[in-house]
Amino acid sequence: MKKVKLSPEELEQMSHADVANIVLKENGKKMTIQDLFKEVIRIMSLPESYFESKIGDFFGLLSTDKRFIMLEKGFWDLKDNHSTKVIIEDEEEDDIVVDEDEEVTDEIVEEEINYDDDTVDDDDDEDDLKDLVIMDDGESEDMM
């Protein structure tokens, strides 16, 4: 693993994700989150106790940063190092199985639609508004 060296002034301006980005660029290979965070802690000269208390935060940081991608078995890498593969599958028509004695026809069979008798007809808006009363602002104050 290559040793990344940054000046204290540079480190002061950088986040953990920025340092992790540099580490992964310099190493050129994927790393586990534990190894990556330990390297970030070493570079930033943070105490070893920082690892236990902040590893969860570091995971959340990498998960939300679009520069990183989580790979199999807990490895992380830069998203730029991995191409996104898009697979478009054509939908094939269902095969029709026909008995030897049956004849295949091109008829379209419409499904019978059954409507429940209990359905509510929402088209009758007049009934909804029959009890509506419009009042001026002055009238509403008089009622109080």
Side-chain angles (χ1 to χ4, degrees):
M1 180 182 330
K2 294 181 182 178
K3 297 290 182 183
V4 178
K5 293 188 179 183
L6 299 167
S7 70
E9 293 81 25
E10 289 175 311
L11 287 172
E12 191 173 309
Q13 305 275 329
M14 300 177 97
S15 69
H16 292 20
D18 294 334
V19 175
N21 187 40
I22 292 171
V23 168
L24 288 170
K25 274 184 185 176
E26 291 294 319
N27 288 328
K29 63 179 183 173
K30 63 186 178 180
M31 296 176 72
T32 64
I33 194 164
Q34 294 89 351
D35 292 339
L36 181 58
F37 193 46
K38 285 178 183 177
E39 185 64 14
V40 168
I41 289 171
R42 186 194 64 75
I43 291 169
M44 296 184 87
S45 301
L46 298 169
E48 289 182 24
S49 61
Y50 196 80
F51 178 83
E52 291 294 324
S53 63
K54 298 294 183 182
I55 186 72
D57 294 337
F58 186 67
F59 176 82
L61 182 65
L62 293 186
S63 298
T64 57
D65 193 317
K66 295 183 182 205
R67 296 177 288 180
F68 303 97
I69 185 170
M70 188 167 109
L71 305 171
E72 294 178 350
K73 299 181 182 176
F75 282 90
W76 287 82
D77 202 358
L78 297 174
K79 194 174 268 188
D80 293 342
N81 295 341
H82 300 271
S83 64
T84 305
K85 190 184 292 186
V86 178
I87 300 173
I88 300 174
E89 294 182 13
D90 291 334
E91 291 185 22
E92 295 180 20
E93 294 182 21
D94 293 335
D95 293 333
I96 300 173
V97 178
V98 180
D99 290 338
E100 290 178 17
D101 297 335
E102 282 187 37
E103 188 175 307
V104 178
T105 62
D106 292 333
E107 290 181 29
I108 298 174
V109 178
E110 292 185 23
E111 292 182 27
E112 184 178 326
I113 299 173
N114 295 322
Y115 294 101
D116 292 337
D117 294 333
D118 297 337
T119 58
V120 177
D121 186 12
D122 289 336
D123 293 336
D124 194 8
D125 291 334
E126 291 177 18
D127 290 342
D128 293 343
L129 302 176
K130 71 179 179 182
D131 294 328
L132 179 66
V133 177
I134 300 175
M135 298 172 32
D136 291 332
D137 288 337
E139 291 178 41
S140 65
E141 291 175 2
D142 292 338
M143 296 184 85
M144 292 182 173

